[in-house]
Amino acid sequence: YVIGRKREKGLRKFPSLYGPIKQVYFSPFLLVYGTAGDSSSTQTNMHHARLQAFSWWMRGNGFARVLPDTEVTEQEIKNYNLVLFGNQETNGIVRRINPGLPVWTKGGRVYLGNRQLPYEDLALQVVYPNPLNPDKLVALFAATSPRADRFSGFFSTLYSGAGLPDFIVYDQRVRTVGWGGVLAAGFFDQNWKLSPDLMWVRAQ
């Protein structure tokens, strides 16, 4: 299969912009929940954002701003890492950056480059340079269905020793078998590209 779609040119990993997912919290960040869907999806996205803010207060002893996608300004995109909750259908910022992400969602499916994972009701976490400002990171917490929204925050990085990679895709089985519910995971290479040598995808 073909790896990669539209990409920012010249991206490279370096000490201040290298991943994995946890790095998005290493410099000033905003927690942004999507409001572009129905009221139920907006409430779910807001819940996930507020839960992370609470975890940051409890474990990081700090205050994290929570705001809707409609209130994110160009100045904030310039100055902050963005932690995004929702997919391209429910979060306006995700809709803007979705074409520039190597791991993405569309139509209820998750794609690794141009490869579609043949599963439904999936949750996705991925970190990547922000296509709107490659000097900052975005971390996306997305789901392909309302059902998957319920467990999209299952894996957390807000604790000592958290070891999530650059991206991870999983289904509801994480609730009963933990890591056994992971369907794909991996790291991007030094140019922020997908590499078969740095990723694992469950055999069908």
Side-chain angles (χ1 to χ4, degrees), residues 80-113:
Y80 292 91
N81 294 334
L82 301 181
V83 183
L84 305 171
F85 301 89
N87 59 28
Q88 84 286 350
E89 297 173 350
T90 65
N91 188 308
I93 301 297
V94 178
R95 184 177 300 163
R96 292 174 64 185
I97 69 173
N98 207 47
L101 299 177
V103 181
W104 52 293
T105 66
K106 182 180 180 181
R109 298 288 187 174
V110 170
Y111 292 80
L112 305 179

PDB file of all heavy atoms in Angstrom, residues 80-113:
ATOM      1  N   TYR A  80       0.668  28.029  20.711  1.00  0.00           N
ATOM      2  CA  TYR A  80       0.369  26.883  21.563  1.00  0.00           C
ATOM      3  C   TYR A  80       0.365  25.564  20.789  1.00  0.00           C
ATOM      4  O   TYR A  80      -0.009  25.522  19.609  1.00  0.00           O
ATOM      5  CB  TYR A  80      -1.016  27.040  22.206  1.00  0.00           C
ATOM      6  CG  TYR A  80      -1.125  28.148  23.219  1.00  0.00           C
ATOM      7  CD1 TYR A  80      -1.523  29.427  22.830  1.00  0.00           C
ATOM      8  CD2 TYR A  80      -0.834  27.918  24.563  1.00  0.00           C
ATOM      9  CE1 TYR A  80      -1.633  30.449  23.750  1.00  0.00           C
ATOM     10  CE2 TYR A  80      -0.941  28.933  25.499  1.00  0.00           C
ATOM     11  CZ  TYR A  80      -1.345  30.201  25.087  1.00  0.00           C
ATOM     12  OH  TYR A  80      -1.447  31.204  26.007  1.00  0.00           O
ATOM     13  N   ASN A  81       0.730  24.501  21.494  1.00  0.00           N
ATOM     14  CA  ASN A  81       0.368  23.167  21.050  1.00  0.00           C
ATOM     15  C   ASN A  81      -1.137  23.008  21.249  1.00  0.00           C
ATOM     16  O   ASN A  81      -1.704  23.565  22.194  1.00  0.00           O
ATOM     17  CB  ASN A  81       1.092  22.090  21.850  1.00  0.00           C
ATOM     18  CG  ASN A  81       2.588  22.085  21.622  1.00  0.00           C
ATOM     19  OD1 ASN A  81       3.078  22.516  20.573  1.00  0.00           O
ATOM     20  ND2 ASN A  81       3.331  21.591  22.602  1.00  0.00           N
ATOM     21  N   LEU A  82      -1.773  22.238  20.386  1.00  0.00           N
ATOM     22  CA  LEU A  82      -3.218  22.039  20.483  1.00  0.00           C
ATOM     23  C   LEU A  82      -3.520  20.568  20.759  1.00  0.00           C
ATOM     24  O   LEU A  82      -3.058  19.687  20.029  1.00  0.00           O
ATOM     25  CB  LEU A  82      -3.913  22.462  19.193  1.00  0.00           C
ATOM     26  CG  LEU A  82      -3.723  23.911  18.743  1.00  0.00           C
ATOM     27  CD1 LEU A  82      -4.503  24.162  17.453  1.00  0.00           C
ATOM     28  CD2 LEU A  82      -4.144  24.893  19.824  1.00  0.00           C
ATOM     29  N   VAL A  83      -4.297  20.316  21.796  1.00  0.00           N
ATOM     30  CA  VAL A  83      -4.802  18.981  22.094  1.00  0.00           C
ATOM     31  C   VAL A  83      -6.265  18.990  21.670  1.00  0.00           C
ATOM     32  O   VAL A  83      -7.088  19.698  22.249  1.00  0.00           O
ATOM     33  CB  VAL A  83      -4.666  18.646  23.593  1.00  0.00           C
ATOM     34  CG1 VAL A  83      -5.134  17.220  23.863  1.00  0.00           C
ATOM     35  CG2 VAL A  83      -3.214  18.830  24.043  1.00  0.00           C
ATOM     36  N   LEU A  84      -6.570  18.213  20.635  1.00  0.00           N
ATOM     37  CA  LEU A  84      -7.864  18.299  19.963  1.00  0.00           C
ATOM     38  C   LEU A  84      -8.740  17.091  20.269  1.00  0.00           C
ATOM     39  O   LEU A  84      -8.286  15.951  20.166  1.00  0.00           O
ATOM     40  CB  LEU A  84      -7.648  18.398  18.455  1.00  0.00           C
ATOM     41  CG  LEU A  84      -6.746  19.542  17.983  1.00  0.00           C
ATOM     42  CD1 LEU A  84      -6.444  19.398  16.498  1.00  0.00           C
ATOM     43  CD2 LEU A  84      -7.399  20.889  18.274  1.00  0.00           C
ATOM     44  N   PHE A  85      -9.990  17.357  20.581  1.00  0.00           N
ATOM     45  CA  PHE A  85     -10.952  16.299  20.888  1.00  0.00           C
ATOM     46  C   PHE A  85     -12.072  16.344  19.855  1.00  0.00           C
ATOM     47  O   PHE A  85     -12.766  17.355  19.712  1.00  0.00           O
ATOM     48  CB  PHE A  85     -11.509  16.486  22.298  1.00  0.00           C
ATOM     49  CG  PHE A  85     -10.450  16.466  23.364  1.00  0.00           C
ATOM     50  CD1 PHE A  85      -9.814  17.647  23.743  1.00  0.00           C
ATOM     51  CD2 PHE A  85     -10.070  15.276  23.961  1.00  0.00           C
ATOM     52  CE1 PHE A  85      -8.822  17.633  24.716  1.00  0.00           C
ATOM     53  CE2 PHE A  85      -9.082  15.252  24.931  1.00  0.00           C
ATOM     54  CZ  PHE A  85      -8.451  16.432  25.308  1.00  0.00           C
ATOM     55  N   GLY A  86     -12.229  15.229  19.124  1.00  0.00           N
ATOM     56  CA  GLY A  86     -13.215  15.139  18.071  1.00  0.00           C
ATOM     57  C   GLY A  86     -12.551  14.792  16.751  1.00  0.00           C
ATOM     58  O   GLY A  86     -11.322  14.825  16.629  1.00  0.00           O
ATOM     59  N   ASN A  87     -13.355  14.453  15.767  1.00  0.00           N
ATOM     60  CA  ASN A  87     -12.814  14.123  14.450  1.00  0.00           C
ATOM     61  C   ASN A  87     -13.145  15.227  13.454  1.00  0.00           C
ATOM     62  O   ASN A  87     -13.611  16.309  13.838  1.00  0.00           O
ATOM     63  CB  ASN A  87     -13.327  12.757  13.980  1.00  0.00           C
ATOM     64  CG  ASN A  87     -14.843  12.694  13.882  1.00  0.00           C
ATOM     65  OD1 ASN A  87     -15.518  13.700  13.650  1.00  0.00           O
ATOM     66  ND2 ASN A  87     -15.406  11.510  14.079  1.00  0.00           N
ATOM     67  N   GLN A  88     -12.904  14.960  12.161  1.00  0.00           N
ATOM     68  CA  GLN A  88     -13.102  16.002  11.152  1.00  0.00           C
ATOM     69  C   GLN A  88     -14.565  16.396  10.990  1.00  0.00           C
ATOM     70  O   GLN A  88     -14.873  17.440  10.419  1.00  0.00           O
ATOM     71  CB  GLN A  88     -12.501  15.555   9.808  1.00  0.00           C
ATOM     72  CG  GLN A  88     -13.383  14.687   8.936  1.00  0.00           C
ATOM     73  CD  GLN A  88     -13.503  13.263   9.463  1.00  0.00           C
ATOM     74  OE1 GLN A  88     -12.781  12.860  10.378  1.00  0.00           O
ATOM     75  NE2 GLN A  88     -14.399  12.489   8.895  1.00  0.00           N
ATOM     76  N   GLU A  89     -15.465  15.592  11.505  1.00  0.00           N
ATOM     77  CA  GLU A  89     -16.880  15.909  11.414  1.00  0.00           C
ATOM     78  C   GLU A  89     -17.387  16.693  12.622  1.00  0.00           C
ATOM     79  O   GLU A  89     -18.422  17.354  12.535  1.00  0.00           O
ATOM     80  CB  GLU A  89     -17.694  14.620  11.262  1.00  0.00           C
ATOM     81  CG  GLU A  89     -17.377  13.861   9.975  1.00  0.00           C
ATOM     82  CD  GLU A  89     -18.064  12.509   9.925  1.00  0.00           C
ATOM     83  OE1 GLU A  89     -18.622  12.091  10.957  1.00  0.00           O
ATOM     84  OE2 GLU A  89     -18.037  11.878   8.853  1.00  0.00           O
ATOM     85  N   THR A  90     -16.668  16.621  13.730  1.00  0.00           N
ATOM     86  CA  THR A  90     -17.168  17.245  14.958  1.00  0.00           C
ATOM     87  C   THR A  90     -16.262  18.333  15.511  1.00  0.00           C
ATOM     88  O   THR A  90     -16.645  19.021  16.457  1.00  0.00           O
ATOM     89  CB  THR A  90     -17.365  16.179  16.063  1.00  0.00           C
ATOM     90  OG1 THR A  90     -16.097  15.615  16.425  1.00  0.00           O
ATOM     91  CG2 THR A  90     -18.297  15.062  15.575  1.00  0.00           C
ATOM     92  N   ASN A  91     -15.071  18.505  14.934  1.00  0.00           N
ATOM     93  CA  ASN A  91     -14.128  19.512  15.421  1.00  0.00           C
ATOM     94  C   ASN A  91     -13.628  20.329  14.227  1.00  0.00           C
ATOM     95  O   ASN A  91     -13.017  19.784  13.306  1.00  0.00           O
ATOM     96  CB  ASN A  91     -12.963  18.844  16.148  1.00  0.00           C
ATOM     97  CG  ASN A  91     -12.044  19.843  16.836  1.00  0.00           C
ATOM     98  OD1 ASN A  91     -11.576  20.794  16.225  1.00  0.00           O
ATOM     99  ND2 ASN A  91     -11.768  19.612  18.119  1.00  0.00           N
ATOM    100  N   GLY A  92     -13.889  21.621  14.234  1.00  0.00           N
ATOM    101  CA  GLY A  92     -13.524  22.478  13.115  1.00  0.00           C
ATOM    102  C   GLY A  92     -12.035  22.567  12.871  1.00  0.00           C
ATOM    103  O   GLY A  92     -11.597  22.685  11.717  1.00  0.00           O
ATOM    104  N   ILE A  93     -11.215  22.522  13.931  1.00  0.00           N
ATOM    105  CA  ILE A  93      -9.766  22.565  13.751  1.00  0.00           C
ATOM    106  C   ILE A  93      -9.288  21.273  13.099  1.00  0.00           C
ATOM    107  O   ILE A  93      -8.450  21.281  12.188  1.00  0.00           O
ATOM    108  CB  ILE A  93      -9.054  22.798  15.088  1.00  0.00           C
ATOM    109  CG1 ILE A  93      -9.505  24.114  15.724  1.00  0.00           C
ATOM    110  CG2 ILE A  93      -7.533  22.809  14.884  1.00  0.00           C
ATOM    111  CD1 ILE A  93      -9.167  25.343  14.933  1.00  0.00           C
ATOM    112  N   VAL A  94      -9.824  20.143  13.555  1.00  0.00           N
ATOM    113  CA  VAL A  94      -9.461  18.864  12.946  1.00  0.00           C
ATOM    114  C   VAL A  94      -9.844  18.856  11.470  1.00  0.00           C
ATOM    115  O   VAL A  94      -9.092  18.348  10.624  1.00  0.00           O
ATOM    116  CB  VAL A  94     -10.128  17.691  13.686  1.00  0.00           C
ATOM    117  CG1 VAL A  94      -9.784  16.360  13.011  1.00  0.00           C
ATOM    118  CG2 VAL A  94      -9.677  17.660  15.148  1.00  0.00           C
ATOM    119  N   ARG A  95     -10.971  19.427  11.144  1.00  0.00           N
ATOM    120  CA  ARG A  95     -11.402  19.490   9.740  1.00  0.00           C
ATOM    121  C   ARG A  95     -10.376  20.238   8.901  1.00  0.00           C
ATOM    122  O   ARG A  95     -10.093  19.866   7.754  1.00  0.00           O
ATOM    123  CB  ARG A  95     -12.755  20.175   9.651  1.00  0.00           C
ATOM    124  CG  ARG A  95     -13.363  20.210   8.250  1.00  0.00           C
ATOM    125  CD  ARG A  95     -14.751  20.843   8.306  1.00  0.00           C
ATOM    126  NE  ARG A  95     -15.627  20.075   9.175  1.00  0.00           N
ATOM    127  CZ  ARG A  95     -16.775  20.543   9.688  1.00  0.00           C
ATOM    128  NH1 ARG A  95     -17.142  21.787   9.419  1.00  0.00           N
ATOM    129  NH2 ARG A  95     -17.523  19.788  10.453  1.00  0.00           N
ATOM    130  N   ARG A  96      -9.789  21.285   9.461  1.00  0.00           N
ATOM    131  CA  ARG A  96      -8.801  22.072   8.726  1.00  0.00           C
ATOM    132  C   ARG A  96      -7.488  21.316   8.526  1.00  0.00           C
ATOM    133  O   ARG A  96      -6.845  21.438   7.484  1.00  0.00           O
ATOM    134  CB  ARG A  96      -8.519  23.387   9.463  1.00  0.00           C
ATOM    135  CG  ARG A  96      -9.673  24.350   9.482  1.00  0.00           C
ATOM    136  CD  ARG A  96      -9.379  25.563  10.359  1.00  0.00           C
ATOM    137  NE  ARG A  96      -8.262  26.345   9.819  1.00  0.00           N
ATOM    138  CZ  ARG A  96      -7.742  27.402  10.434  1.00  0.00           C
ATOM    139  NH1 ARG A  96      -8.221  27.774  11.618  1.00  0.00           N
ATOM    140  NH2 ARG A  96      -6.753  28.065   9.899  1.00  0.00           N
ATOM    141  N   ILE A  97      -7.073  20.529   9.527  1.00  0.00           N
ATOM    142  CA  ILE A  97      -5.759  19.893   9.443  1.00  0.00           C
ATOM    143  C   ILE A  97      -5.813  18.462   8.935  1.00  0.00           C
ATOM    144  O   ILE A  97      -4.764  17.887   8.603  1.00  0.00           O
ATOM    145  CB  ILE A  97      -5.056  19.910  10.819  1.00  0.00           C
ATOM    146  CG1 ILE A  97      -5.762  18.984  11.816  1.00  0.00           C
ATOM    147  CG2 ILE A  97      -4.959  21.332  11.361  1.00  0.00           C
ATOM    148  CD1 ILE A  97      -5.021  18.824  13.130  1.00  0.00           C
ATOM    149  N   ASN A  98      -7.004  17.874   8.849  1.00  0.00           N
ATOM    150  CA  ASN A  98      -7.125  16.456   8.508  1.00  0.00           C
ATOM    151  C   ASN A  98      -6.383  16.071   7.223  1.00  0.00           C
ATOM    152  O   ASN A  98      -5.729  15.028   7.171  1.00  0.00           O
ATOM    153  CB  ASN A  98      -8.599  16.056   8.407  1.00  0.00           C
ATOM    154  CG  ASN A  98      -8.831  14.588   8.695  1.00  0.00           C
ATOM    155  OD1 ASN A  98      -8.321  14.040   9.674  1.00  0.00           O
ATOM    156  ND2 ASN A  98      -9.616  13.935   7.846  1.00  0.00           N
ATOM    157  N   PRO A  99      -6.419  16.890   6.150  1.00  0.00           N
ATOM    158  CA  PRO A  99      -5.703  16.515   4.928  1.00  0.00           C
ATOM    159  C   PRO A  99      -4.183  16.450   5.104  1.00  0.00           C
ATOM    160  O   PRO A  99      -3.504  15.839   4.276  1.00  0.00           O
ATOM    161  CB  PRO A  99      -6.091  17.623   3.938  1.00  0.00           C
ATOM    162  CG  PRO A  99      -7.385  18.158   4.447  1.00  0.00           C
ATOM    163  CD  PRO A  99      -7.258  18.089   5.937  1.00  0.00           C
ATOM    164  N   GLY A 100      -3.657  17.063   6.155  1.00  0.00           N
ATOM    165  CA  GLY A 100      -2.213  17.071   6.364  1.00  0.00           C
ATOM    166  C   GLY A 100      -1.712  16.043   7.352  1.00  0.00           C
ATOM    167  O   GLY A 100      -0.516  15.996   7.642  1.00  0.00           O
ATOM    168  N   LEU A 101      -2.598  15.213   7.893  1.00  0.00           N
ATOM    169  CA  LEU A 101      -2.203  14.213   8.870  1.00  0.00           C
ATOM    170  C   LEU A 101      -1.934  12.873   8.203  1.00  0.00           C
ATOM    171  O   LEU A 101      -2.696  12.452   7.341  1.00  0.00           O
ATOM    172  CB  LEU A 101      -3.295  14.042   9.931  1.00  0.00           C
ATOM    173  CG  LEU A 101      -3.652  15.272  10.768  1.00  0.00           C
ATOM    174  CD1 LEU A 101      -4.791  14.932  11.717  1.00  0.00           C
ATOM    175  CD2 LEU A 101      -2.433  15.776  11.541  1.00  0.00           C
ATOM    176  N   PRO A 102      -0.871  12.160   8.608  1.00  0.00           N
ATOM    177  CA  PRO A 102      -0.599  10.840   8.036  1.00  0.00           C
ATOM    178  C   PRO A 102      -1.463   9.733   8.633  1.00  0.00           C
ATOM    179  O   PRO A 102      -1.608   8.666   8.046  1.00  0.00           O
ATOM    180  CB  PRO A 102       0.879  10.615   8.359  1.00  0.00           C
ATOM    181  CG  PRO A 102       1.109  11.424   9.590  1.00  0.00           C
ATOM    182  CD  PRO A 102       0.202  12.619   9.484  1.00  0.00           C
ATOM    183  N   VAL A 103      -2.009   9.962   9.816  1.00  0.00           N
ATOM    184  CA  VAL A 103      -2.951   9.035  10.450  1.00  0.00           C
ATOM    185  C   VAL A 103      -4.219   9.844  10.687  1.00  0.00           C
ATOM    186  O   VAL A 103      -4.192  10.850  11.381  1.00  0.00           O
ATOM    187  CB  VAL A 103      -2.395   8.465  11.764  1.00  0.00           C
ATOM    188  CG1 VAL A 103      -3.384   7.484  12.378  1.00  0.00           C
ATOM    189  CG2 VAL A 103      -1.041   7.778  11.531  1.00  0.00           C
ATOM    190  N   TRP A 104      -5.333   9.395  10.119  1.00  0.00           N
ATOM    191  CA  TRP A 104      -6.508  10.269  10.052  1.00  0.00           C
ATOM    192  C   TRP A 104      -7.785   9.448  10.018  1.00  0.00           C
ATOM    193  O   TRP A 104      -7.749   8.222   9.882  1.00  0.00           O
ATOM    194  CB  TRP A 104      -6.403  11.170   8.823  1.00  0.00           C
ATOM    195  CG  TRP A 104      -6.135  10.449   7.529  1.00  0.00           C
ATOM    196  CD1 TRP A 104      -4.997   9.769   7.182  1.00  0.00           C
ATOM    197  CD2 TRP A 104      -7.005  10.319   6.408  1.00  0.00           C
ATOM    198  NE1 TRP A 104      -5.117   9.236   5.924  1.00  0.00           N
ATOM    199  CE2 TRP A 104      -6.324   9.563   5.410  1.00  0.00           C
ATOM    200  CE3 TRP A 104      -8.286  10.797   6.139  1.00  0.00           C
ATOM    201  CZ2 TRP A 104      -6.898   9.251   4.182  1.00  0.00           C
ATOM    202  CZ3 TRP A 104      -8.861  10.492   4.907  1.00  0.00           C
ATOM    203  CH2 TRP A 104      -8.161   9.740   3.944  1.00  0.00           C
ATOM    204  N   THR A 105      -8.902  10.133  10.170  1.00  0.00           N
ATOM    205  CA  THR A 105     -10.210   9.474  10.133  1.00  0.00           C
ATOM    206  C   THR A 105     -11.064  10.098   9.045  1.00  0.00           C
ATOM    207  O   THR A 105     -10.945  11.276   8.724  1.00  0.00           O
ATOM    208  CB  THR A 105     -10.953   9.600  11.479  1.00  0.00           C
ATOM    209  OG1 THR A 105     -11.273  10.972  11.720  1.00  0.00           O
ATOM    210  CG2 THR A 105     -10.098   9.067  12.625  1.00  0.00           C
ATOM    211  N   LYS A 106     -11.937   9.273   8.483  1.00  0.00           N
ATOM    212  CA  LYS A 106     -12.908   9.756   7.507  1.00  0.00           C
ATOM    213  C   LYS A 106     -13.979   8.703   7.327  1.00  0.00           C
ATOM    214  O   LYS A 106     -13.684   7.520   7.196  1.00  0.00           O
ATOM    215  CB  LYS A 106     -12.241  10.045   6.156  1.00  0.00           C
ATOM    216  CG  LYS A 106     -13.206  10.601   5.112  1.00  0.00           C
ATOM    217  CD  LYS A 106     -12.514  10.864   3.789  1.00  0.00           C
ATOM    218  CE  LYS A 106     -13.495  11.420   2.751  1.00  0.00           C
ATOM    219  NZ  LYS A 106     -12.826  11.669   1.445  1.00  0.00           N
ATOM    220  N   GLY A 107     -15.224   9.152   7.335  1.00  0.00           N
ATOM    221  CA  GLY A 107     -16.330   8.255   7.053  1.00  0.00           C
ATOM    222  C   GLY A 107     -16.403   7.046   7.965  1.00  0.00           C
ATOM    223  O   GLY A 107     -16.763   5.952   7.530  1.00  0.00           O
ATOM    224  N   GLY A 108     -16.061   7.227   9.227  1.00  0.00           N
ATOM    225  CA  GLY A 108     -16.148   6.125  10.175  1.00  0.00           C
ATOM    226  C   GLY A 108     -14.985   5.141  10.103  1.00  0.00           C
ATOM    227  O   GLY A 108     -15.078   4.041  10.675  1.00  0.00           O
ATOM    228  N   ARG A 109     -13.893   5.522   9.434  1.00  0.00           N
ATOM    229  CA  ARG A 109     -12.737   4.644   9.314  1.00  0.00           C
ATOM    230  C   ARG A 109     -11.466   5.376   9.726  1.00  0.00           C
ATOM    231  O   ARG A 109     -11.406   6.607   9.688  1.00  0.00           O
ATOM    232  CB  ARG A 109     -12.571   4.146   7.869  1.00  0.00           C
ATOM    233  CG  ARG A 109     -13.738   3.313   7.368  1.00  0.00           C
ATOM    234  CD  ARG A 109     -13.771   1.944   8.009  1.00  0.00           C
ATOM    235  NE  ARG A 109     -14.803   1.106   7.405  1.00  0.00           N
ATOM    236  CZ  ARG A 109     -14.980  -0.173   7.700  1.00  0.00           C
ATOM    237  NH1 ARG A 109     -14.213  -0.768   8.577  1.00  0.00           N
ATOM    238  NH2 ARG A 109     -15.950  -0.863   7.118  1.00  0.00           N
ATOM    239  N   VAL A 110     -10.447   4.602  10.107  1.00  0.00           N
ATOM    240  CA  VAL A 110      -9.120   5.139  10.376  1.00  0.00           C
ATOM    241  C   VAL A 110      -8.211   4.739   9.227  1.00  0.00           C
ATOM    242  O   VAL A 110      -8.254   3.608   8.740  1.00  0.00           O
ATOM    243  CB  VAL A 110      -8.557   4.607  11.709  1.00  0.00           C
ATOM    244  CG1 VAL A 110      -7.088   4.984  11.857  1.00  0.00           C
ATOM    245  CG2 VAL A 110      -9.361   5.160  12.882  1.00  0.00           C
ATOM    246  N   TYR A 111      -7.373   5.687   8.799  1.00  0.00           N
ATOM    247  CA  TYR A 111      -6.427   5.458   7.715  1.00  0.00           C
ATOM    248  C   TYR A 111      -5.003   5.676   8.208  1.00  0.00           C
ATOM    249  O   TYR A 111      -4.726   6.645   8.926  1.00  0.00           O
ATOM    250  CB  TYR A 111      -6.690   6.410   6.553  1.00  0.00           C
ATOM    251  CG  TYR A 111      -7.988   6.161   5.831  1.00  0.00           C
ATOM    252  CD1 TYR A 111      -9.197   6.628   6.348  1.00  0.00           C
ATOM    253  CD2 TYR A 111      -8.013   5.466   4.629  1.00  0.00           C
ATOM    254  CE1 TYR A 111     -10.399   6.402   5.695  1.00  0.00           C
ATOM    255  CE2 TYR A 111      -9.219   5.233   3.958  1.00  0.00           C
ATOM    256  CZ  TYR A 111     -10.398   5.704   4.491  1.00  0.00           C
ATOM    257  OH  TYR A 111     -11.591   5.474   3.841  1.00  0.00           O
ATOM    258  N   LEU A 112      -4.112   4.775   7.821  1.00  0.00           N
ATOM    259  CA  LEU A 112      -2.680   4.953   7.998  1.00  0.00           C
ATOM    260  C   LEU A 112      -2.116   5.274   6.619  1.00  0.00           C
ATOM    261  O   LEU A 112      -1.967   4.385   5.784  1.00  0.00           O
ATOM    262  CB  LEU A 112      -2.027   3.684   8.551  1.00  0.00           C
ATOM    263  CG  LEU A 112      -2.622   3.127   9.854  1.00  0.00           C
ATOM    264  CD1 LEU A 112      -1.885   1.863  10.267  1.00  0.00           C
ATOM    265  CD2 LEU A 112      -2.570   4.165  10.957  1.00  0.00           C
ATOM    266  N   GLY A 113      -1.849   6.543   6.361  1.00  0.00           N
ATOM    267  CA  GLY A 113      -1.550   6.936   5.008  1.00  0.00           C
ATOM    268  C   GLY A 113      -2.771   6.676   4.145  1.00  0.00           C
ATOM    269  O   GLY A 113      -3.873   7.128   4.446  1.00  0.00           O
TER     270      GLY A 113
END
